[in-house]
Amino acid sequence: MKARYVRYSVIAAAFILISVRLQAQETRTASTFPSISPGSELDEYLRYLQTTGSVAPAAWGVRELSVLRSQRLVPTGVNPWHARFQSKTQKSSLVEWTAFPVNLTTRVNSGFPFGINDGAVWAGRGLTIAADAGGVARAGPLVLQLNPIVFWAQNASFPLLNNGLSGNGIYRTGQPLLAQAIDLPQRFGSGSYSRFDLGESELRVEYPWFKAGVSNAHRIWGPASSFPFALGRNAAGFEHLFISTNQPLDLWFAKLSANLIYGKLSQSDYSPVSGSD
């Protein structure tokens, strides 16, 4: 466990050093293509600003990465987070890009695993450390965003609910019926748990009325923040192909936002599902 802790501490430090070096090479200007991840802290902040009239009305039923959507949500005037909308960008004759700040987070759960809407991170009992970094680049309609995340969870022991199973089955959810039907571990094994995830990464072509591409980024279906109707941020993203409207289509009697995705989910090592089905 100590070796893994040191390894991920080194990775986190490397992220910070790389970020500092990138920032030193950039020119501070207002970004022409901010990137606002759906359901992120910044995304929720903009929803609050809509109530003050500082942000133009926008559809929130289908939220996903979009240069056009991000630009339209940039608030007018001065607001408490005004500096957050000033990105450091670089431009060439064909490409413009910006690096994201490094996010390094730690949390401690003293009694049992707990987390909500934290994406790929699973915070067990004890210490959890997560770091993410990356950037976004655009060349005409082609947009590439890389924003991977890595985390390490101490995953300390705690009394498990008895689900009547043995072996690895004891780590499944503590409800006996659900333990045979759902992939919802109480704990990820008996030791520390770590994972590297592509995070909010996506490659797409984007035009004013539609966009399409391949993605691992979160998509939110439903206007709610904590409990959207179908898709949200309470788990990691998954690899998928997509095509969607880039802004609501005016059908005269209504405005239509649509999102079609094709992807495949995977199971954890503690899933009741076995084989290819």
Side-chain angles (χ1 to χ4, degrees):
M1 185 178 72
K2 291 183 178 180
R4 289 188 178 181
Y5 179 82
V6 172
R7 182 194 315 164
Y8 288 106
S9 297
V10 171
I11 292 174
F15 273 137
I16 295 173
L17 292 175
I18 292 172
S19 176
V20 170
R21 181 170 179 81
L22 288 173
Q23 291 176 6
Q25 295 174 344
E26 293 167 350
T27 302
R28 190 172 184 80
T29 59
S31 173
T32 58
F33 61 111
S35 182
I36 301 171
S37 297
S40 65
E41 188 178 47
L42 188 56
D43 189 44
E44 294 300 319
Y45 172 68
L46 294 175
R47 298 191 74 177
Y48 297 138
L49 286 187
Q50 277 193 323
T51 65
T52 69
S54 300
V55 172
W60 295 85
V62 176
R63 283 175 280 165
E64 52 194 349
L65 292 175
S66 166
V67 170
L68 180 61
R69 178 179 184 272
S70 296
Q71 289 176 337
R72 290 185 171 182
L73 291 178
V74 172
T76 58
V78 177
N79 58 83
W81 282 8
H82 178 74
R84 292 286 301 274
F85 298 97
Q86 303 298 312
S87 301
K88 301 176 180 181
T89 63
Q90 285 189 343
K91 296 182 180 180
S92 66
S93 58
L94 297 175
V95 180
E96 55 181 337
W97 68 93
T98 186
F100 299 152
V102 172
N103 291 311
L104 180 62
T105 62
T106 61
R107 70 187 79 178
V108 176
N109 288 325
S110 60
F112 52 86
F114 179 79
I116 185 169
N117 288 334
D118 44 10
V121 177
W122 185 84
R125 179 171 181 255
L127 175 66
T128 299
I129 303 173
D132 71 271
V136 58
R138 180 174 69 167
L142 187 64
V143 181
L144 173 62
Q145 176 167 313
L146 296 176
N147 192 192
I149 184 169
V150 62
F151 77 89
W152 173 88
Q154 182 182 352
N155 194 26
S157 63
F158 62 97
L160 298 175
L161 292 175
N162 184 9
N163 57 20
L165 301 176
S166 60
N168 276 349
I170 65 174
Y171 298 115
R172 299 182 191 173
T173 180
Q175 302 181 47
L177 292 179
L178 291 181
Q180 302 290 350
I182 191 172
D183 188 9
L184 184 64
Q186 299 182 68
R187 186 184 178 201
F188 281 84
S190 59
S192 62
Y193 176 61
S194 60
R195 177 175 174 180
F196 172 85
D197 189 84
L198 289 175
E200 301 298 293
S201 298
E202 180 172 288
L203 174 64
R204 67 181 183 272
V205 289
E206 181 174 340
Y207 293 96
W209 294 105
F210 81 95
K211 57 185 183 290
V214 58
S215 177
N216 188 75
H218 287 96
R219 324 190 90 73
I220 296 181
W221 290 359
S225 297
S226 297
F227 303 103
F229 294 144
L231 295 177
R233 291 178 56 90
N234 203 37
F238 58 96
E239 294 83 1
H240 60 276
L241 303 173
F242 73 92
I243 182 169
S244 60
T245 55
N246 203 12
Q247 59 183 327
L249 303 179
D250 192 345
L251 303 179
W252 180 68
F253 61 90
K255 291 187 176 180
L256 172 68
S257 294
N259 186 204
L260 176 65
I261 64 175
Y262 175 81
K264 184 178 181 180
L265 300 179
S266 59
Q267 305 292 322
S268 79
D269 293 337
Y270 308 98
S271 171
V273 175
S274 62
S276 58
D277 296 332

